[in-house]
PDB file of all heavy atoms in Angstrom:
ATOM      1  N   GLY W   1       9.414 -29.061   0.141  1.00  0.00           N
ATOM      2  CA  GLY W   1       8.719 -28.310   1.181  1.00  0.00           C
ATOM      3  C   GLY W   1       9.421 -27.046   1.520  1.00  0.00           C
ATOM      4  O   GLY W   1       8.797 -25.971   1.626  1.00  0.00           O
ATOM      5  N   ILE W   2      10.753 -27.094   1.719  1.00  0.00           N
ATOM      6  CA  ILE W   2      11.501 -25.912   2.134  1.00  0.00           C
ATOM      7  C   ILE W   2      11.422 -24.816   1.067  1.00  0.00           C
ATOM      8  O   ILE W   2      11.121 -23.651   1.318  1.00  0.00           O
ATOM      9  CB  ILE W   2      12.932 -26.251   2.482  1.00  0.00           C
ATOM     10  CG1 ILE W   2      12.969 -27.200   3.678  1.00  0.00           C
ATOM     11  CG2 ILE W   2      13.755 -25.003   2.768  1.00  0.00           C
ATOM     12  CD1 ILE W   2      14.390 -27.708   4.014  1.00  0.00           C
ATOM     13  N   SER W   3      11.752 -25.210  -0.184  1.00  0.00           N
ATOM     14  CA  SER W   3      11.679 -24.213  -1.253  1.00  0.00           C
ATOM     15  C   SER W   3      10.273 -23.688  -1.437  1.00  0.00           C
ATOM     16  O   SER W   3      10.050 -22.546  -1.808  1.00  0.00           O
ATOM     17  CB  SER W   3      12.191 -24.828  -2.555  1.00  0.00           C
ATOM     18  OG  SER W   3      11.394 -25.943  -2.903  1.00  0.00           O
ATOM     19  N   PHE W   4       9.250 -24.591  -1.207  1.00  0.00           N
ATOM     20  CA  PHE W   4       7.879 -24.150  -1.332  1.00  0.00           C
ATOM     21  C   PHE W   4       7.541 -23.031  -0.304  1.00  0.00           C
ATOM     22  O   PHE W   4       6.957 -22.034  -0.648  1.00  0.00           O
ATOM     23  CB  PHE W   4       6.954 -25.341  -1.125  1.00  0.00           C
ATOM     24  CG  PHE W   4       5.523 -24.968  -1.072  1.00  0.00           C
ATOM     25  CD1 PHE W   4       4.835 -24.591  -2.281  1.00  0.00           C
ATOM     26  CD2 PHE W   4       4.845 -24.944   0.137  1.00  0.00           C
ATOM     27  CE1 PHE W   4       3.486 -24.276  -2.199  1.00  0.00           C
ATOM     28  CE2 PHE W   4       3.514 -24.579   0.180  1.00  0.00           C
ATOM     29  CZ  PHE W   4       2.835 -24.224  -0.976  1.00  0.00           C
ATOM     30  N   TYR W   5       7.951 -23.264   0.946  1.00  0.00           N
ATOM     31  CA  TYR W   5       7.645 -22.255   1.993  1.00  0.00           C
ATOM     32  C   TYR W   5       8.390 -20.957   1.717  1.00  0.00           C
ATOM     33  O   TYR W   5       7.871 -19.878   1.976  1.00  0.00           O
ATOM     34  CB  TYR W   5       8.027 -22.803   3.402  1.00  0.00           C
ATOM     35  CG  TYR W   5       7.024 -23.821   3.915  1.00  0.00           C
ATOM     36  CD1 TYR W   5       7.437 -25.126   4.205  1.00  0.00           C
ATOM     37  CD2 TYR W   5       5.728 -23.453   4.138  1.00  0.00           C
ATOM     38  CE1 TYR W   5       6.518 -26.080   4.680  1.00  0.00           C
ATOM     39  CE2 TYR W   5       4.821 -24.374   4.634  1.00  0.00           C
ATOM     40  CZ  TYR W   5       5.194 -25.673   4.889  1.00  0.00           C
ATOM     41  OH  TYR W   5       4.294 -26.607   5.348  1.00  0.00           O
ATOM     42  N   THR W   6       9.656 -21.056   1.182  1.00  0.00           N
ATOM     43  CA  THR W   6      10.372 -19.820   0.845  1.00  0.00           C
ATOM     44  C   THR W   6       9.607 -19.063  -0.249  1.00  0.00           C
ATOM     45  O   THR W   6       9.474 -17.829  -0.190  1.00  0.00           O
ATOM     46  CB  THR W   6      11.788 -20.231   0.349  1.00  0.00           C
ATOM     47  OG1 THR W   6      12.418 -20.926   1.365  1.00  0.00           O
ATOM     48  CG2 THR W   6      12.556 -18.913   0.029  1.00  0.00           C
ATOM     49  N   THR W   7       9.162 -19.748  -1.232  1.00  0.00           N
ATOM     50  CA  THR W   7       8.405 -19.109  -2.296  1.00  0.00           C
ATOM     51  C   THR W   7       7.116 -18.457  -1.800  1.00  0.00           C
ATOM     52  O   THR W   7       6.734 -17.362  -2.177  1.00  0.00           O
ATOM     53  CB  THR W   7       8.027 -20.141  -3.371  1.00  0.00           C
ATOM     54  OG1 THR W   7       9.246 -20.758  -3.822  1.00  0.00           O
ATOM     55  CG2 THR W   7       7.371 -19.460  -4.593  1.00  0.00           C
ATOM     56  N   VAL W   8       6.457 -19.191  -0.846  1.00  0.00           N
ATOM     57  CA  VAL W   8       5.205 -18.614  -0.281  1.00  0.00           C
ATOM     58  C   VAL W   8       5.498 -17.326   0.475  1.00  0.00           C
ATOM     59  O   VAL W   8       4.770 -16.349   0.342  1.00  0.00           O
ATOM     60  CB  VAL W   8       4.548 -19.639   0.672  1.00  0.00           C
ATOM     61  CG1 VAL W   8       3.415 -19.021   1.456  1.00  0.00           C
ATOM     62  CG2 VAL W   8       3.994 -20.843  -0.140  1.00  0.00           C
ATOM     63  N   LEU W   9       6.548 -17.358   1.269  1.00  0.00           N
ATOM     64  CA  LEU W   9       6.901 -16.139   2.039  1.00  0.00           C
ATOM     65  C   LEU W   9       7.228 -14.956   1.077  1.00  0.00           C
ATOM     66  O   LEU W   9       6.826 -13.802   1.323  1.00  0.00           O
ATOM     67  CB  LEU W   9       8.063 -16.409   2.945  1.00  0.00           C
ATOM     68  CG  LEU W   9       7.793 -17.333   4.132  1.00  0.00           C
ATOM     69  CD1 LEU W   9       9.069 -17.678   4.898  1.00  0.00           C
ATOM     70  CD2 LEU W   9       6.755 -16.746   5.058  1.00  0.00           C
ATOM     71  N   GLN W  10       7.963 -15.231   0.028  1.00  0.00           N
ATOM     72  CA  GLN W  10       8.303 -14.178  -0.949  1.00  0.00           C
ATOM     73  C   GLN W  10       7.040 -13.658  -1.646  1.00  0.00           C
ATOM     74  O   GLN W  10       6.894 -12.437  -1.822  1.00  0.00           O
ATOM     75  CB  GLN W  10       9.272 -14.719  -1.956  1.00  0.00           C
ATOM     76  CG  GLN W  10      10.673 -15.034  -1.419  1.00  0.00           C
ATOM     77  CD  GLN W  10      11.542 -15.678  -2.476  1.00  0.00           C
ATOM     78  OE1 GLN W  10      11.127 -16.035  -3.528  1.00  0.00           O
ATOM     79  NE2 GLN W  10      12.850 -15.804  -2.119  1.00  0.00           N
ATOM     80  N   LYS W  11       6.147 -14.567  -1.978  1.00  0.00           N
ATOM     81  CA  LYS W  11       4.934 -14.156  -2.663  1.00  0.00           C
ATOM     82  C   LYS W  11       4.042 -13.321  -1.728  1.00  0.00           C
ATOM     83  O   LYS W  11       3.509 -12.294  -2.110  1.00  0.00           O
ATOM     84  CB  LYS W  11       4.147 -15.366  -3.085  1.00  0.00           C
ATOM     85  CG  LYS W  11       2.966 -15.050  -3.990  1.00  0.00           C
ATOM     86  CD  LYS W  11       3.400 -14.608  -5.341  1.00  0.00           C
ATOM     87  CE  LYS W  11       2.246 -14.438  -6.302  1.00  0.00           C
ATOM     88  NZ  LYS W  11       2.644 -14.035  -7.638  1.00  0.00           N
ATOM     89  N   MET W  12       3.968 -13.707  -0.431  1.00  0.00           N
ATOM     90  CA  MET W  12       3.178 -12.933   0.510  1.00  0.00           C
ATOM     91  C   MET W  12       3.788 -11.607   0.750  1.00  0.00           C
ATOM     92  O   MET W  12       3.070 -10.570   0.932  1.00  0.00           O
ATOM     93  CB  MET W  12       3.050 -13.732   1.828  1.00  0.00           C
ATOM     94  CG  MET W  12       2.196 -15.009   1.684  1.00  0.00           C
ATOM     95  SD  MET W  12       2.057 -15.939   3.245  1.00  0.00           S
ATOM     96  CE  MET W  12       1.115 -14.814   4.208  1.00  0.00           C
ATOM     97  N   GLN W  13       5.123 -11.500   0.818  1.00  0.00           N
ATOM     98  CA  GLN W  13       5.772 -10.203   1.010  1.00  0.00           C
ATOM     99  C   GLN W  13       5.488  -9.279  -0.164  1.00  0.00           C
ATOM    100  O   GLN W  13       5.236  -8.081  -0.006  1.00  0.00           O
ATOM    101  CB  GLN W  13       7.278 -10.414   1.168  1.00  0.00           C
ATOM    102  CG  GLN W  13       8.070  -9.111   1.400  1.00  0.00           C
ATOM    103  CD  GLN W  13       7.699  -8.469   2.715  1.00  0.00           C
ATOM    104  OE1 GLN W  13       7.431  -9.164   3.725  1.00  0.00           O
ATOM    105  NE2 GLN W  13       7.675  -7.145   2.770  1.00  0.00           N
ATOM    106  N   HIS W  14       5.490  -9.885  -1.372  1.00  0.00           N
ATOM    107  CA  HIS W  14       5.214  -9.075  -2.583  1.00  0.00           C
ATOM    108  C   HIS W  14       3.797  -8.526  -2.557  1.00  0.00           C
ATOM    109  O   HIS W  14       3.547  -7.358  -2.830  1.00  0.00           O
ATOM    110  CB  HIS W  14       5.474  -9.913  -3.805  1.00  0.00           C
ATOM    111  CG  HIS W  14       5.102  -9.222  -5.107  1.00  0.00           C
ATOM    112  ND1 HIS W  14       5.864  -8.196  -5.612  1.00  0.00           N
ATOM    113  CD2 HIS W  14       4.093  -9.420  -5.992  1.00  0.00           C
ATOM    114  CE1 HIS W  14       5.319  -7.768  -6.721  1.00  0.00           C
ATOM    115  NE2 HIS W  14       4.254  -8.518  -6.979  1.00  0.00           N
ATOM    116  N   LEU W  15       2.853  -9.374  -2.122  1.00  0.00           N
ATOM    117  CA  LEU W  15       1.470  -8.938  -2.062  1.00  0.00           C
ATOM    118  C   LEU W  15       1.266  -7.888  -0.986  1.00  0.00           C
ATOM    119  O   LEU W  15       0.485  -6.939  -1.158  1.00  0.00           O
ATOM    120  CB  LEU W  15       0.560 -10.171  -1.751  1.00  0.00           C
ATOM    121  CG  LEU W  15       0.440 -11.207  -2.865  1.00  0.00           C
ATOM    122  CD1 LEU W  15      -0.378 -12.402  -2.370  1.00  0.00           C
ATOM    123  CD2 LEU W  15      -0.159 -10.609  -4.104  1.00  0.00           C
ATOM    124  N   ASN W  16       1.993  -8.011   0.103  1.00  0.00           N
ATOM    125  CA  ASN W  16       1.921  -7.011   1.188  1.00  0.00           C
ATOM    126  C   ASN W  16       2.469  -5.658   0.691  1.00  0.00           C
ATOM    127  O   ASN W  16       1.856  -4.624   1.006  1.00  0.00           O
ATOM    128  CB  ASN W  16       2.681  -7.528   2.414  1.00  0.00           C
ATOM    129  CG  ASN W  16       2.600  -6.573   3.576  1.00  0.00           C
ATOM    130  OD1 ASN W  16       1.471  -6.139   3.925  1.00  0.00           O
ATOM    131  ND2 ASN W  16       3.710  -6.228   4.196  1.00  0.00           N
ATOM    132  N   ASP W  17       3.566  -5.718  -0.062  1.00  0.00           N
ATOM    133  CA  ASP W  17       4.125  -4.462  -0.604  1.00  0.00           C
ATOM    134  C   ASP W  17       3.109  -3.774  -1.536  1.00  0.00           C
ATOM    135  O   ASP W  17       2.926  -2.573  -1.520  1.00  0.00           O
ATOM    136  CB  ASP W  17       5.422  -4.732  -1.324  1.00  0.00           C
ATOM    137  CG  ASP W  17       6.541  -5.157  -0.368  1.00  0.00           C
ATOM    138  OD1 ASP W  17       6.372  -4.921   0.829  1.00  0.00           O
ATOM    139  OD2 ASP W  17       7.531  -5.754  -0.854  1.00  0.00           O
ATOM    140  N   GLU W  18       2.469  -4.590  -2.405  1.00  0.00           N
ATOM    141  CA  GLU W  18       1.488  -4.064  -3.303  1.00  0.00           C
ATOM    142  C   GLU W  18       0.314  -3.446  -2.547  1.00  0.00           C
ATOM    143  O   GLU W  18      -0.226  -2.387  -2.936  1.00  0.00           O
ATOM    144  CB  GLU W  18       0.985  -5.137  -4.260  1.00  0.00           C
ATOM    145  CG  GLU W  18       1.987  -5.561  -5.327  1.00  0.00           C
ATOM    146  CD  GLU W  18       1.406  -6.552  -6.288  1.00  0.00           C
ATOM    147  OE1 GLU W  18       0.307  -7.067  -5.996  1.00  0.00           O
ATOM    148  OE2 GLU W  18       2.028  -6.801  -7.337  1.00  0.00           O
ATOM    149  N   ALA W  19      -0.119  -4.092  -1.462  1.00  0.00           N
ATOM    150  CA  ALA W  19      -1.217  -3.558  -0.679  1.00  0.00           C
ATOM    151  C   ALA W  19      -0.852  -2.264  -0.042  1.00  0.00           C
ATOM    152  O   ALA W  19      -1.674  -1.277  -0.014  1.00  0.00           O
ATOM    153  CB  ALA W  19      -1.644  -4.597   0.388  1.00  0.00           C
ATOM    154  N   GLN W  20       0.362  -2.120   0.507  1.00  0.00           N
ATOM    155  CA  GLN W  20       0.792  -0.863   1.077  1.00  0.00           C
ATOM    156  C   GLN W  20       0.830   0.267   0.067  1.00  0.00           C
ATOM    157  O   GLN W  20       0.454   1.374   0.352  1.00  0.00           O
ATOM    158  CB  GLN W  20       2.159  -1.057   1.772  1.00  0.00           C
ATOM    159  CG  GLN W  20       2.117  -1.915   3.025  1.00  0.00           C
ATOM    160  CD  GLN W  20       3.481  -2.011   3.676  1.00  0.00           C
ATOM    161  OE1 GLN W  20       4.471  -1.524   3.130  1.00  0.00           O
ATOM    162  NE2 GLN W  20       3.516  -2.656   4.846  1.00  0.00           N
ATOM    163  N   MET W  21       1.352  -0.094  -1.129  1.00  0.00           N
ATOM    164  CA  MET W  21       1.429   0.943  -2.174  1.00  0.00           C
ATOM    165  C   MET W  21       0.007   1.387  -2.608  1.00  0.00           C
ATOM    166  O   MET W  21      -0.202   2.569  -2.826  1.00  0.00           O
ATOM    167  CB  MET W  21       2.161   0.323  -3.395  1.00  0.00           C
ATOM    168  CG  MET W  21       2.415   1.382  -4.513  1.00  0.00           C
ATOM    169  SD  MET W  21       3.371   0.647  -5.860  1.00  0.00           S
ATOM    170  CE  MET W  21       4.914   0.301  -4.997  1.00  0.00           C
ATOM    171  N   THR W  22      -0.909   0.430  -2.642  1.00  0.00           N
ATOM    172  CA  THR W  22      -2.272   0.769  -3.018  1.00  0.00           C
ATOM    173  C   THR W  22      -2.926   1.697  -1.959  1.00  0.00           C
ATOM    174  O   THR W  22      -3.573   2.687  -2.290  1.00  0.00           O
ATOM    175  CB  THR W  22      -3.095  -0.489  -3.170  1.00  0.00           C
ATOM    176  OG1 THR W  22      -2.536  -1.316  -4.169  1.00  0.00           O
ATOM    177  CG2 THR W  22      -4.544  -0.146  -3.573  1.00  0.00           C
ATOM    178  N   ARG W  23      -2.666   1.391  -0.659  1.00  0.00           N
ATOM    179  CA  ARG W  23      -3.232   2.240   0.369  1.00  0.00           C
ATOM    180  C   ARG W  23      -2.608   3.624   0.346  1.00  0.00           C
ATOM    181  O   ARG W  23      -3.303   4.621   0.546  1.00  0.00           O
ATOM    182  CB  ARG W  23      -2.982   1.584   1.749  1.00  0.00           C
ATOM    183  CG  ARG W  23      -3.879   0.361   1.971  1.00  0.00           C
ATOM    184  CD  ARG W  23      -3.820  -0.040   3.470  1.00  0.00           C
ATOM    185  NE  ARG W  23      -2.466  -0.458   3.861  1.00  0.00           N
ATOM    186  CZ  ARG W  23      -2.048  -1.709   3.803  1.00  0.00           C
ATOM    187  NH1 ARG W  23      -2.832  -2.667   3.321  1.00  0.00           N
ATOM    188  NH2 ARG W  23      -0.810  -2.050   4.190  1.00  0.00           N
ATOM    189  N   THR W  24      -1.312   3.707   0.080  1.00  0.00           N
ATOM    190  CA  THR W  24      -0.659   5.031  -0.002  1.00  0.00           C
ATOM    191  C   THR W  24      -1.240   5.853  -1.163  1.00  0.00           C
ATOM    192  O   THR W  24      -1.483   7.046  -1.033  1.00  0.00           O
ATOM    193  CB  THR W  24       0.869   4.820  -0.192  1.00  0.00           C
ATOM    194  OG1 THR W  24       1.395   4.066   0.888  1.00  0.00           O
ATOM    195  CG2 THR W  24       1.562   6.205  -0.232  1.00  0.00           C
ATOM    196  N   THR W  25      -1.420   5.205  -2.321  1.00  0.00           N
ATOM    197  CA  THR W  25      -1.983   5.871  -3.465  1.00  0.00           C
ATOM    198  C   THR W  25      -3.387   6.392  -3.177  1.00  0.00           C
ATOM    199  O   THR W  25      -3.753   7.476  -3.545  1.00  0.00           O
ATOM    200  CB  THR W  25      -1.984   4.960  -4.668  1.00  0.00           C
ATOM    201  OG1 THR W  25      -0.681   4.457  -4.914  1.00  0.00           O
ATOM    202  CG2 THR W  25      -2.508   5.653  -5.910  1.00  0.00           C
ATOM    203  N   GLU W  26      -4.190   5.560  -2.493  1.00  0.00           N
ATOM    204  CA  GLU W  26      -5.544   5.990  -2.155  1.00  0.00           C
ATOM    205  C   GLU W  26      -5.566   7.166  -1.187  1.00  0.00           C
ATOM    206  O   GLU W  26      -6.366   8.071  -1.347  1.00  0.00           O
ATOM    207  CB  GLU W  26      -6.289   4.824  -1.554  1.00  0.00           C
ATOM    208  CG  GLU W  26      -6.577   3.691  -2.559  1.00  0.00           C
ATOM    209  CD  GLU W  26      -7.263   2.528  -1.887  1.00  0.00           C
ATOM    210  OE1 GLU W  26      -7.349   2.522  -0.656  1.00  0.00           O
ATOM    211  OE2 GLU W  26      -7.716   1.592  -2.611  1.00  0.00           O
ATOM    212  N   ARG W  27      -4.613   7.184  -0.263  1.00  0.00           N
ATOM    213  CA  ARG W  27      -4.551   8.312   0.672  1.00  0.00           C
ATOM    214  C   ARG W  27      -4.163   9.616  -0.032  1.00  0.00           C
ATOM    215  O   ARG W  27      -4.748  10.648   0.225  1.00  0.00           O
ATOM    216  CB  ARG W  27      -3.536   8.044   1.800  1.00  0.00           C
ATOM    217  CG  ARG W  27      -4.004   7.037   2.872  1.00  0.00           C
ATOM    218  CD  ARG W  27      -3.151   7.116   4.108  1.00  0.00           C
ATOM    219  NE  ARG W  27      -1.766   6.837   3.805  1.00  0.00           N
ATOM    220  CZ  ARG W  27      -1.203   5.660   3.914  1.00  0.00           C
ATOM    221  NH1 ARG W  27      -1.958   4.591   4.264  1.00  0.00           N
ATOM    222  NH2 ARG W  27       0.065   5.436   3.640  1.00  0.00           N
ATOM    223  N   VAL W  28      -3.188   9.507  -0.954  1.00  0.00           N
ATOM    224  CA  VAL W  28      -2.790  10.696  -1.744  1.00  0.00           C
ATOM    225  C   VAL W  28      -3.952  11.209  -2.556  1.00  0.00           C
ATOM    226  O   VAL W  28      -4.238  12.386  -2.717  1.00  0.00           O
ATOM    227  CB  VAL W  28      -1.575  10.381  -2.599  1.00  0.00           C
ATOM    228  CG1 VAL W  28      -1.284  11.547  -3.557  1.00  0.00           C
ATOM    229  CG2 VAL W  28      -0.361  10.101  -1.705  1.00  0.00           C
ATOM    230  N   ALA W  29      -4.701  10.244  -3.175  1.00  0.00           N
ATOM    231  CA  ALA W  29      -5.825  10.613  -3.997  1.00  0.00           C
ATOM    232  C   ALA W  29      -6.912  11.281  -3.218  1.00  0.00           C
ATOM    233  O   ALA W  29      -7.489  12.319  -3.630  1.00  0.00           O
ATOM    234  CB  ALA W  29      -6.397   9.377  -4.728  1.00  0.00           C
ATOM    235  N   ARG W  30      -7.195  10.715  -2.006  1.00  0.00           N
ATOM    236  CA  ARG W  30      -8.212  11.370  -1.164  1.00  0.00           C
ATOM    237  C   ARG W  30      -7.752  12.718  -0.696  1.00  0.00           C
ATOM    238  O   ARG W  30      -8.566  13.636  -0.631  1.00  0.00           O
ATOM    239  CB  ARG W  30      -8.489  10.453   0.075  1.00  0.00           C
ATOM    240  CG  ARG W  30      -9.278   9.193  -0.245  1.00  0.00           C
ATOM    241  CD  ARG W  30      -9.832   8.605   1.004  1.00  0.00           C
ATOM    242  NE  ARG W  30      -8.753   8.238   1.959  1.00  0.00           N
ATOM    243  CZ  ARG W  30      -8.153   7.045   1.984  1.00  0.00           C
ATOM    244  NH1 ARG W  30      -8.481   6.102   1.104  1.00  0.00           N
ATOM    245  NH2 ARG W  30      -7.199   6.824   2.864  1.00  0.00           N
ATOM    246  N   ARG W  31      -6.466  12.890  -0.426  1.00  0.00           N
ATOM    247  CA  ARG W  31      -5.957  14.187   0.026  1.00  0.00           C
ATOM    248  C   ARG W  31      -6.083  15.233  -1.070  1.00  0.00           C
ATOM    249  O   ARG W  31      -6.429  16.375  -0.871  1.00  0.00           O
ATOM    250  CB  ARG W  31      -4.501  14.028   0.453  1.00  0.00           C
ATOM    251  CG  ARG W  31      -3.901  15.289   1.083  1.00  0.00           C
ATOM    252  CD  ARG W  31      -2.488  14.996   1.499  1.00  0.00           C
ATOM    253  NE  ARG W  31      -2.477  13.868   2.438  1.00  0.00           N
ATOM    254  CZ  ARG W  31      -1.342  13.301   2.852  1.00  0.00           C
ATOM    255  NH1 ARG W  31      -0.185  13.699   2.445  1.00  0.00           N
ATOM    256  NH2 ARG W  31      -1.370  12.277   3.718  1.00  0.00           N
ATOM    257  N   GLY W  32      -5.771  14.760  -2.338  1.00  0.00           N
ATOM    258  CA  GLY W  32      -5.887  15.718  -3.438  1.00  0.00           C
ATOM    259  C   GLY W  32      -7.312  16.010  -3.840  1.00  0.00           C
ATOM    260  O   GLY W  32      -7.571  17.012  -4.489  1.00  0.00           O
ATOM    261  N   SER W  33      -8.251  15.118  -3.543  1.00  0.00           N
ATOM    262  CA  SER W  33      -9.610  15.287  -3.952  1.00  0.00           C
ATOM    263  C   SER W  33     -10.434  16.037  -2.966  1.00  0.00           C
ATOM    264  O   SER W  33     -11.647  16.131  -3.084  1.00  0.00           O
ATOM    265  CB  SER W  33     -10.279  13.912  -4.243  1.00  0.00           C
ATOM    266  OG  SER W  33     -10.298  13.141  -3.044  1.00  0.00           O
ATOM    267  N   GLY W  34      -9.789  16.529  -1.893  1.00  0.00           N
ATOM    268  CA  GLY W  34     -10.545  17.382  -0.978  1.00  0.00           C
ATOM    269  C   GLY W  34     -10.690  16.838   0.408  1.00  0.00           C
ATOM    270  O   GLY W  34     -11.590  17.223   1.137  1.00  0.00           O
ATOM    271  N   SER W  35      -9.819  15.872   0.793  1.00  0.00           N
ATOM    272  CA  SER W  35      -9.919  15.375   2.171  1.00  0.00           C
ATOM    273  C   SER W  35      -9.475  16.450   3.175  1.00  0.00           C
ATOM    274  O   SER W  35      -9.814  16.401   4.348  1.00  0.00           O
ATOM    275  CB  SER W  35      -9.020  14.118   2.317  1.00  0.00           C
ATOM    276  OG  SER W  35      -7.720  14.434   2.021  1.00  0.00           O
ATOM    277  N   HIS W  36      -8.700  17.483   2.648  1.00  0.00           N
ATOM    278  CA  HIS W  36      -8.309  18.591   3.505  1.00  0.00           C
ATOM    279  C   HIS W  36      -8.752  19.911   2.796  1.00  0.00           C
ATOM    280  O   HIS W  36      -7.910  20.624   2.260  1.00  0.00           O
ATOM    281  CB  HIS W  36      -6.802  18.612   3.752  1.00  0.00           C
ATOM    282  CG  HIS W  36      -6.321  17.372   4.422  1.00  0.00           C
ATOM    283  ND1 HIS W  36      -6.481  17.138   5.774  1.00  0.00           N
ATOM    284  CD2 HIS W  36      -5.684  16.270   3.941  1.00  0.00           C
ATOM    285  CE1 HIS W  36      -5.971  15.962   6.126  1.00  0.00           C
ATOM    286  NE2 HIS W  36      -5.476  15.406   5.018  1.00  0.00           N
ATOM    287  N   PRO W  37     -10.044  20.219   2.783  1.00  0.00           N
ATOM    288  CA  PRO W  37     -10.513  21.351   2.003  1.00  0.00           C
ATOM    289  C   PRO W  37      -9.955  22.717   2.540  1.00  0.00           C
ATOM    290  O   PRO W  37      -9.777  23.606   1.756  1.00  0.00           O
ATOM    291  CB  PRO W  37     -12.037  21.269   2.247  1.00  0.00           C
ATOM    292  CG  PRO W  37     -12.224  20.480   3.472  1.00  0.00           C
ATOM    293  CD  PRO W  37     -11.097  19.505   3.512  1.00  0.00           C
ATOM    294  N   VAL W  38      -9.666  22.804   3.821  1.00  0.00           N
ATOM    295  CA  VAL W  38      -9.191  24.052   4.343  1.00  0.00           C
ATOM    296  C   VAL W  38      -7.806  24.362   3.818  1.00  0.00           C
ATOM    297  O   VAL W  38      -7.548  25.505   3.321  1.00  0.00           O
ATOM    298  CB  VAL W  38      -9.166  24.002   5.889  1.00  0.00           C
ATOM    299  CG1 VAL W  38      -8.582  25.301   6.462  1.00  0.00           C
ATOM    300  CG2 VAL W  38     -10.587  23.788   6.448  1.00  0.00           C
ATOM    301  N   ARG W  39      -6.921  23.371   3.842  1.00  0.00           N
ATOM    302  CA  ARG W  39      -5.578  23.568   3.343  1.00  0.00           C
ATOM    303  C   ARG W  39      -5.573  23.789   1.856  1.00  0.00           C
ATOM    304  O   ARG W  39      -4.854  24.668   1.380  1.00  0.00           O
ATOM    305  CB  ARG W  39      -4.743  22.366   3.678  1.00  0.00           C
ATOM    306  CG  ARG W  39      -3.273  22.473   3.275  1.00  0.00           C
ATOM    307  CD  ARG W  39      -2.483  21.270   3.676  1.00  0.00           C
ATOM    308  NE  ARG W  39      -1.114  21.392   3.317  1.00  0.00           N
ATOM    309  CZ  ARG W  39      -0.208  20.412   3.447  1.00  0.00           C
ATOM    310  NH1 ARG W  39      -0.565  19.246   4.004  1.00  0.00           N
ATOM    311  NH2 ARG W  39       1.050  20.603   3.045  1.00  0.00           N
ATOM    312  N   ARG W  40      -6.376  23.038   1.111  1.00  0.00           N
ATOM    313  CA  ARG W  40      -6.447  23.225  -0.318  1.00  0.00           C
ATOM    314  C   ARG W  40      -6.982  24.576  -0.678  1.00  0.00           C
ATOM    315  O   ARG W  40      -6.488  25.244  -1.570  1.00  0.00           O
ATOM    316  CB  ARG W  40      -7.285  22.119  -0.942  1.00  0.00           C
ATOM    317  CG  ARG W  40      -7.334  22.128  -2.438  1.00  0.00           C
ATOM    318  CD  ARG W  40      -8.297  21.141  -2.998  1.00  0.00           C
ATOM    319  NE  ARG W  40      -8.363  21.190  -4.454  1.00  0.00           N
ATOM    320  CZ  ARG W  40      -9.287  20.571  -5.165  1.00  0.00           C
ATOM    321  NH1 ARG W  40     -10.236  19.846  -4.559  1.00  0.00           N
ATOM    322  NH2 ARG W  40      -9.286  20.649  -6.465  1.00  0.00           N
ATOM    323  N   GLY W  41      -8.044  25.022  -0.029  1.00  0.00           N
ATOM    324  CA  GLY W  41      -8.600  26.344  -0.259  1.00  0.00           C
ATOM    325  C   GLY W  41      -7.596  27.468  -0.035  1.00  0.00           C
ATOM    326  O   GLY W  41      -7.543  28.444  -0.737  1.00  0.00           O
ATOM    327  N   ARG W  42      -6.817  27.284   1.039  1.00  0.00           N
ATOM    328  CA  ARG W  42      -5.805  28.312   1.392  1.00  0.00           C
ATOM    329  C   ARG W  42      -4.740  28.434   0.299  1.00  0.00           C
ATOM    330  O   ARG W  42      -4.318  29.504  -0.123  1.00  0.00           O
ATOM    331  CB  ARG W  42      -5.176  27.963   2.719  1.00  0.00           C
ATOM    332  CG  ARG W  42      -4.138  28.969   3.208  1.00  0.00           C
ATOM    333  CD  ARG W  42      -3.735  28.686   4.648  1.00  0.00           C
ATOM    334  NE  ARG W  42      -2.685  29.580   5.054  1.00  0.00           N
ATOM    335  CZ  ARG W  42      -1.349  29.335   4.951  1.00  0.00           C
ATOM    336  NH1 ARG W  42      -0.979  28.199   4.383  1.00  0.00           N
ATOM    337  NH2 ARG W  42      -0.479  30.184   5.369  1.00  0.00           N
TER     338      ARG W  42
END
């Protein structure tokens, strides 16, 4: 049980890190694709 819960926590932390990285990538992509047209046009 103890080693199982430790593995679960590690796995959930890894999934959380991947989710944050995915959200960051999407924000950068939206920014580059025209989410700030005024700044990009300047």
Side-chain angles (χ1 to χ4, degrees):
I2 297 176
S3 61
F4 173 76
Y5 285 119
T6 302
T7 305
V8 170
L9 291 175
Q10 292 176 350
K11 189 71 174 181
M12 293 179 67
Q13 181 65 35
H14 177 70
L15 294 175
N16 184 48
D17 293 341
E18 287 185 348
Q20 290 183 354
M21 185 177 296
T22 302
R23 288 194 295 270
T24 303
T25 304
E26 291 176 352
R27 284 198 300 267
V28 172
R30 287 196 301 270
R31 187 176 303 171
S33 62
S35 59
H36 299 284
V38 176
R39 183 178 179 184
R40 185 185 178 191
R42 182 171 176 270

